[in-house]
Amino acid sequence: MTLSYQWLLDYLPEPIPVEQLSEILTSIGLEVEKISLYEEVKGGLQGLRIGEVLSTEKHPNADKLTLTKVSVGEGQVLSIVCGAPNVAAGQKVIVAPVGATIYPTNGDPLTMKKAKIRGEESQGMICAEDEIGWGDSHAGILVLPPEAVPGTAAADFFKPYQDTIIEIGLTPNRMDAMSHWGVARDVCAYMNHHHQKKGQPRLPARLSFSDQQSVCPIQVTIENHTACPRYSGLCIDWIKIGPSPRWMVQRLKAIGVKPINNIVDITNYVLHETGQPLHAFDRLAIKGDQIVVKNLDAQTRFVTLDGVARTLNKEDLMICDTDRPLCMAGVYGGLESGISESTQALFLESAFFDPIAIRKTSFGHQLRTDAALRFEKGTDIAATIPVLQRAAQLICDIAGGQVATAPVDHYAAPQPQKKVTLGWEYLKKISGKQYAHQAVAGILTSLGFGIDRSDDQGILVSVPYHKPDISMPADLVEEILRIDGLDNIAIPTAITLSPAVESPNFAFKETLREKIANQLAGLGYHEMMTNSITNSHYFAEPTEHLVTMINSLSAELNTLRPSLLHTALEVVSRNLNHRNLDLRLFEFGTVYSKGANGGYHEEQRLCLVLTGQRNATHWQEKSSPVDLFTIKGMVDLLLSSMGLSAASQADEHPTLGQAIRWSAQGKELGSAGVVTEGLSRRFGIKQAVYYAELNWHLLVTLAAALPIRIRELPRFPLVERDLALVVPTSLQWNSIQDCLEKIRIKTLQDIKVFDIFESDKLGVGKKSIAIHLIFSDPEKTLTDKEIENWIDTIIKTLEKELDVLVRQ
C-alpha cells in the first residue's frame, strides 16, 4: 500500500520524523518496503529564476529567433536567444541560466550551457511550461503575473509540491490499515503505549445530517442480503463538475492516482483516507428513482466505464435501476450512469459487500480496482454513514453541492459486536511477558476496542467492526505484541524447555529414519522430495477417497496424493528424459485419504524405486537389469535392519504386477512389484520400473515395541551345510522357509538360496533349489553328530510336509 507522508501527518496529533515513523510502522507489523521522494515537478525547479525581459530585437541571422536582454535580479542581465513567438519586453518569465538543469514534461533532463546560436551568444533559456515540467503547453514561453519579482527562485514562486512516499507491505488480514486514517490509528496506539501520549488520530471534517431533512427520493431494494448486508446512499444536488483543488490533485498524484474531476477525485480521496470505497451515480441516469441490489441472469451484457461490453456471470452482484444494470457492485461502474461534465445531481453510494462475492467478480472479469481490493479484504460495516458524511462535506466545499435529504440506510440484520475474553495467564503464556493490566487496556482502547470488563482473571473486550479478523484470545495477544513490539520481549537468562508434545516414539522415529536413509544412501540410492499436491487424473480409483483441493493453484495440482507412486514416476520420467537410465531412489513422504465418514487421514510412507541396470558393465562382470528379486531383497534387508520379522506372499495390486505383500502381526506392512505397462506409458516410461511402498508409521510402531537385545560376537566357529532340494515347480521359497522356521532349531542362524536349476532330467514339473544353512551355538563348538541330526530332521520334515526330494 502507498502512503503519503504529508497526508498522514494530517491525522497525527503531532508530527513524527519520517525516519522514526518508518521504524514505528515496521515495528507494528506494517513493514516499510520502500521510501522515496515525490516531486510534483521533477528537480523541484531548482536553479531556475524569475526574470524580466528588458528588450527584444530580431536575430540578424534567423527570422524566427529573437535576441533578448533579461534581468534576473541583483543587477545581472543575461543575453538570451529565444525562439518563442510570444516573447516581449516587460514580461516576467522563467529563466534557466547557465548551469541550471530543466526537466521537461516529455523528454530527458537538459543542463544549460553557454552557447552561440546562429552567431549570437545565449546565456541560458527562457522557458515554456512544458520545458520545466509545470504543464503540457508548448505554445510559447510561460508569462508570469506582473507582480513576480525578478531574481526570485522559481521554486519559491511556484512552491511545487514535494512529499515522501512510503510503501508498506500488508498481510491479508490487515484491512484496517488500508487507509491513511487506519495507519494513523496504529501509530497513535504505538505512541500512546511507548511515549505515554494520550493522542487519538484527528478526525477529518464531516457534514452532519439533520433529522428534519426530507426523505431521500431514491428508493433502495436489496434482493441479495448475503452479498450486500448494508447499503447506504445520499442525494446531493446543485453540484458543479470541474477540476479538483490543487491540494487534492497533489495528494492523489503523489500516491499514483490520476485526477479526473472533482466528484470522482473526492470519492478516490475518501477511499484512501478512510478505506471505504464510494461510488457516485448521475442521479438523472437512475430510472424510476430506484436502486435494486441483485444478481442478474448469466450472459447479461453490461458496458463498464472503460467502454468494454462484458458478459456477466450469475454470481456477479449488480447495482440496477428499474430497467438496467448501473454498476458492478464494489468493482466497477457503468458507462451510462457515471459522472459526466453535465452532471448536476448525484446519488452517492456507501455500502458493505461480501468479500467473497466481490473477489469472484473482480477476478472473473480481471478488474482489479482499488475498491475491489478493499471490499474483498473486508471493510468496516459500521462506517458507511460516517464516510458519507465526510464525502458530503468535501462535495459541498469543493463542488458547491447541497444536501437536501437524509441519507438512505438499509441494514436489515445489524451484525452483533463480537466479544472476546483474554485471560492474564493465557497472555503471559503466549507472549512470554508479564503485562500490566492497565497497559493492555491502553493498547486495546487505542486500537478501537471497547473494554467491557477487567478483573484479576482477565479482560473482556468488544471488537470494533474494523477488526473482522479478531475472533479469539490469540488474536488479542497478537495485537498487544504488535503494538508493544516483538523486540521488547525479554529473553530469559535460563531457558526451560517445555515438555515435548510429540508422541513417545518421536525421537526413535527420527533416529530410525536417519538410520534407514543412511543405509539406503550407502547402497547407492538417492533421496527424492516430491510435491504432496498432484493431479487427480492420475487416479482411476473412486474420487470420494481422494482429498481434493477447493482452491487449487492449477488444474494439474488439485488433489493430495493417496500414494507416493505417481509423484515418484514423475521423477523417473524426468530423469529418463535426461538419459539418466539407471535409477535407485527413495522417499519418506505423506499420503492422504478421506474416510467414509468424511474425516481425513494422513500417513507416513517410505517408497523405493528401481529401474535400469543393477550394476555397470566392466571387464570383470557384465551388467544385468534389476528385477523383482532386487527390490524384494531390498525390502527384506530394510525390515531386517529394523529388527522386524515379516512374512511375504504374492498379492494382487491395481498398479503393480508380480506384486508381493509383507505383513507382520496381522498387519500389512507394504507391497512391491513392477509398475504396470499402462501406468508407465502414461508417464512416457518405456523400461521396467520396480516399486515398493511401505507403511513407515507402522514400521516405526512395531520396531519401537521390540526389546533391545545385545549379544557378543560368536566365540565358537560357525558350521555351514548345503542342501539340494528337488521340488515342484509351483512351490515357492516362502513355503520352504516357513517350514524350516517351524522346526525351531535354535542353532540354525540363517538360511539362504544360492542356486535354482531347472532341467528335464529332474522330471516334469520339477526344479532344484540349493540352500545354504548356517549353524552356531554361543556356548560350545558344535559336533558333526549334532549337525547330522539337525540335517536329518530338516530333510525328514521337508519330505513329509512339502513332498521334497533331497538330492545326494
Side-chain angles (χ1 to χ4, degrees), residues 37 50 69 386 477 479 488 625-626 680 723 757:
L37 175 66
I50 293 177
K69 297 291 185 180
V477 175
E479 292 293 288
N488 293 322
V626 296
S680 293
L723 289 178
F757 172 71

Side-chain angles (χ1 to χ4, degrees), residues 412-632:
Q415 291 185 5
Q417 201 166 12
K418 288 184 288 188
K419 307 285 185 179
V420 180
T421 300
L422 174 63
W424 304 124
E425 288 299 321
Y426 180 81
L427 172 61
K428 181 180 179 181
K429 176 183 176 181
I430 300 300
S431 68
K433 183 175 179 179
Q434 183 71 56
Y435 284 95
H437 299 178
Q438 187 176 359
V440 171
I443 291 174
L444 296 177
T445 300
S446 296
L447 291 174
F449 291 85
I451 309 300
D452 294 349
R453 187 189 73 248
S454 181
D455 53 31
D456 294 339
Q457 301 301 315
I459 187 170
L460 173 65
V461 300
S462 299
V463 180
Y465 290 103
H466 64 259
K467 292 280 190 182
D469 62 311
I470 305 297
S471 61
M472 60 182 68
D475 297 330
L476 294 179
V477 175
E478 180 185 0
E479 292 293 288
I480 295 166
L481 285 174
R482 189 171 61 80
I483 299 302
D484 184 48
L486 297 176
D487 293 340
N488 293 322
I489 299 177
I491 299 176
T493 55
I495 299 178
T496 302
L497 296 178
S498 300
V501 296
E502 297 87 357
S503 65
N505 292 338
F506 178 77
F508 177 80
K509 176 181 178 181
E510 292 302 306
T511 302
L512 186 60
R513 173 172 172 162
E514 189 71 16
K515 172 186 174 181
I516 296 301
N518 288 336
Q519 184 177 4
L520 288 169
L523 291 169
Y525 284 73
H526 292 87
E527 185 171 9
M528 57 182 174
M529 299 179 67
T530 60
N531 195 346
S532 296
I533 308 173
T534 186
N535 194 331
S536 61
H537 294 299
Y538 287 158
F539 309 101
E541 61 189 62
T543 56
E544 61 265 19
H545 298 301
L546 292 178
V547 181
T548 56
M549 302 178 66
I550 298 175
N551 295 316
S552 58
L553 296 176
S554 68
E556 291 75 26
L557 296 173
N558 60 354
T559 189
L560 296 176
R561 61 187 178 194
S563 167
L564 303 180
L565 172 59
H566 299 82
T567 50
L569 290 178
E570 290 177 344
V571 176
V572 172
S573 177
R574 179 177 176 82
N575 277 271
L576 294 181
N577 290 336
H578 287 76
R579 304 303 297 166
N580 296 324
L581 303 180
D582 304 325
L583 301 174
R584 295 187 178 197
L585 307 170
F586 75 97
E587 179 181 16
F588 292 94
T590 305
V591 299
Y592 308 85
S593 61
K594 184 165 61 175
N597 60 354
Y600 296 97
H601 178 67
E602 60 181 78
E603 193 172 76
Q604 291 290 314
R605 299 279 180 87
L606 165 64
C607 77
L608 306 176
V609 181
L610 285 172
T611 187
Q613 300 298 312
R614 183 187 292 111
N615 57 287
T617 300
H618 61 90
W619 64 274
Q620 284 184 321
E621 185 180 4
K622 292 183 179 180
S623 62
S624 59
V626 296
D627 55 23
L628 181 65
F629 297 103
T630 310
I631 198 158
K632 178 182 182 298

Side-chain angles (χ1 to χ4, degrees), residues 190-255:
Y190 179 92
M191 297 297 291
N192 292 344
H193 178 66
H194 290 276
H195 300 281
Q196 289 72 52
K197 304 288 185 179
K198 295 184 178 180
Q200 291 293 324
R202 291 189 291 217
L203 291 171
R206 296 189 302 194
L207 188 70
S208 298
F209 297 140
S210 171
D211 294 336
Q212 281 71 42
Q213 288 174 310
S214 59
V215 177
C216 179
I218 301 294
Q219 301 296 314
V220 175
T221 303
I222 302 176
E223 294 186 6
N224 187 343
H225 287 277
T226 301
C228 180
R230 187 174 191 179
Y231 190 97
S232 307
L234 182 68
C235 291
I236 304 179
D237 299 331
W238 307 109
I239 62 170
K240 296 179 181 179
I241 302 298
S244 298
R246 185 163 176 247
W247 63 268
M248 180 174 286
V249 170
Q250 288 170 337
R251 288 189 171 180
L252 291 176
K253 282 185 174 181
I255 62 172

Side-chain angles (χ1 to χ4, degrees), residues 573-784:
S573 177
R574 179 177 176 82
N575 277 271
L576 294 181
N577 290 336
H578 287 76
R579 304 303 297 166
N580 296 324
L581 303 180
D582 304 325
L583 301 174
R584 295 187 178 197
L585 307 170
F586 75 97
E587 179 181 16
F588 292 94
T590 305
V591 299
Y592 308 85
S593 61
K594 184 165 61 175
N597 60 354
Y600 296 97
H601 178 67
E602 60 181 78
E603 193 172 76
Q604 291 290 314
R605 299 279 180 87
L606 165 64
C607 77
L608 306 176
V609 181
L610 285 172
T611 187
Q613 300 298 312
R614 183 187 292 111
N615 57 287
T617 300
H618 61 90
W619 64 274
Q620 284 184 321
E621 185 180 4
K622 292 183 179 180
S623 62
S624 59
V626 296
D627 55 23
L628 181 65
F629 297 103
T630 310
I631 198 158
K632 178 182 182 298
M634 195 67 247
V635 173
D636 288 337
L637 178 62
L638 294 181
L639 295 176
S640 176
S641 298
M642 289 184 275
L644 299 176
S645 177
S648 58
Q649 62 185 43
D651 192 24
E652 295 292 331
H653 197 280
T655 55
L656 300 177
Q658 306 175 40
I660 303 172
R661 176 169 54 87
W662 283 265
S663 59
Q665 300 181 20
K667 298 177 181 178
E668 184 176 337
L669 303 182
S671 300
V674 60
V675 178
T676 59
E677 290 185 11
L679 183 56
S680 293
R681 281 197 301 269
R682 292 182 63 183
F683 290 88
I685 300 172
K686 298 179 182 179
Q687 64 188 52
V689 178
Y690 292 88
Y691 178 82
E693 186 167 315
L694 304 174
N695 186 331
W696 179 249
H697 175 74
L698 180 56
L699 293 179
V700 171
T701 302
L702 295 177
L706 294 175
I708 298 176
R709 293 187 176 92
I710 301 175
R711 63 182 180 183
E712 62 180 346
L713 292 173
R715 292 180 296 161
F716 302 98
L718 303 177
V719 178
E720 302 178 31
R721 292 289 188 269
D722 295 334
L723 289 178
L725 310 176
V726 178
V727 301
T729 306
S730 61
L731 184 65
Q732 295 184 353
W733 164 247
N734 287 344
S735 301
I736 299 175
Q737 193 173 29
D738 292 342
C739 184
L740 293 177
E741 289 178 357
K742 291 178 181 178
I743 301 175
R744 299 186 182 277
I745 301 175
K746 293 183 179 180
T747 54
L748 182 58
Q749 302 298 317
D750 197 7
I751 312 167
K752 293 180 180 178
V753 176
F754 66 90
D755 185 40
I756 298 178
F757 172 71
E758 293 188 30
S759 173
D760 293 340
K761 297 179 180 180
L762 297 176
V764 179
K766 297 290 185 179
K767 64 181 177 182
S768 174
I769 298 179
I771 63 174
H772 185 67
L773 308 174
I774 299 177
F775 298 90
S776 175
D777 191 324
E779 302 296 334
K780 63 179 181 177
T781 300
L782 296 174
T783 64
D784 291 340

